[in-house]
Amino acid sequence: MLCPASCLPLLRELAQWRCLLGWHRHHGVGSASTTGLTANTGQQQQLQRGSEVGDRADRPVGRTKPLPSSQFSSAGCLLSLHHSEKPDHEEVCEFRPYTCPCPGATCKWHGSLEAVMPHLMHAHKSITTLQGEDIVFLATDINLPGAVDWVMMQSCFSHHFMLVLEKQEKYEGHQQFFAVVLLIGTRKQAENFAYRLELNGNRRRLTWEATPRSIHDGVAAAIMNSDCLVFDTSIAHLFADNGNLGINVTISMC
């Protein structure tokens, strides 16, 4: 009959191997064995960690939490997304609130698409609206110093379009003009239209044709992607008349 003291090293070695293999105490390491190893605290802690791993491994699989919905689900977005995908989607989601499309950061208004035009008519009364598919967008005093925006509305095909001419000073003494057309509507609606911007002068013509951007994208995105008519001060002076620049704007359906 073996002496209990002589068996202790064997029990310790057996416990270490079972710990390394991640055995659960239900697999054979009972409470009596754990009690018999109280002399080695480090081994006991290792054994407990191995049991916890076994507990997790024994949990039933197939039960996953439902994917979270977009924060704009109440507005109509039906997508369910992984947490890592939500920020990118919500940046471009068609159901996120519309911000005021006027250039600049002074107006903090946001609301539904249906409320955009009432907001513009109430809070930005200085913006002129012209009717028709072909109009002339007149930007006055283009020689004003610093950054300047000229804005006009064009109404046709039962939609409203925002015409924007923005002047930026890229660096000391070098200015650029950016002209773009935005649809007061969704990106999908914008794909149904095309616009043409045209500068006419003495035996000169400068034309840009493109698909209008939705106001969801905004003027800044169009400028950043060079998706607009771009010209510098010297070009502007070739077409200007006494400091005023007329841009012919034509909207058509695709």
Side-chain angles (χ1 to χ4, degrees), residues 48-109:
Q48 289 172 350
R49 293 195 199 100
S51 298
E52 290 168 1
V53 172
D55 284 336
R56 287 194 292 270
D58 287 346
R59 289 173 186 166
V61 296
R63 294 181 182 178
T64 57
K65 292 183 177 180
L67 292 175
S69 301
S70 166
Q71 66 169 305
F72 308 123
S73 57
S74 60
C77 182
L78 302 178
L79 290 181
S80 295
L81 304 161
H82 190 271
H83 289 289
S84 60
E85 299 172 330
K86 283 187 65 178
D88 290 339
H89 166 73
E90 289 172 353
E91 279 292 316
V92 297
C93 180
E94 290 284 3
F95 296 95
R96 68 185 172 93
Y98 286 75
T99 57
C100 178
C102 289
T106 56
C107 183
K108 303 297 183 182
W109 178 90

Side-chain angles (χ1 to χ4, degrees), residues 128 130 135-142 149-153 163 165 198-199 239-249:
T128 303
L130 296 181
I135 65 150
V136 176
F137 176 19
L138 183 62
T140 59
D141 298 326
I142 62 170
D149 294 299
W150 294 267
V151 182
M152 179 177 285
M153 298 295 299
L163 322 178
L165 177 65
E198 191 171 275
L199 298 176
F239 296 99
D241 182 15
N242 294 322
N244 302 321
L245 183 65
I247 305 176
N248 297 316
V249 184

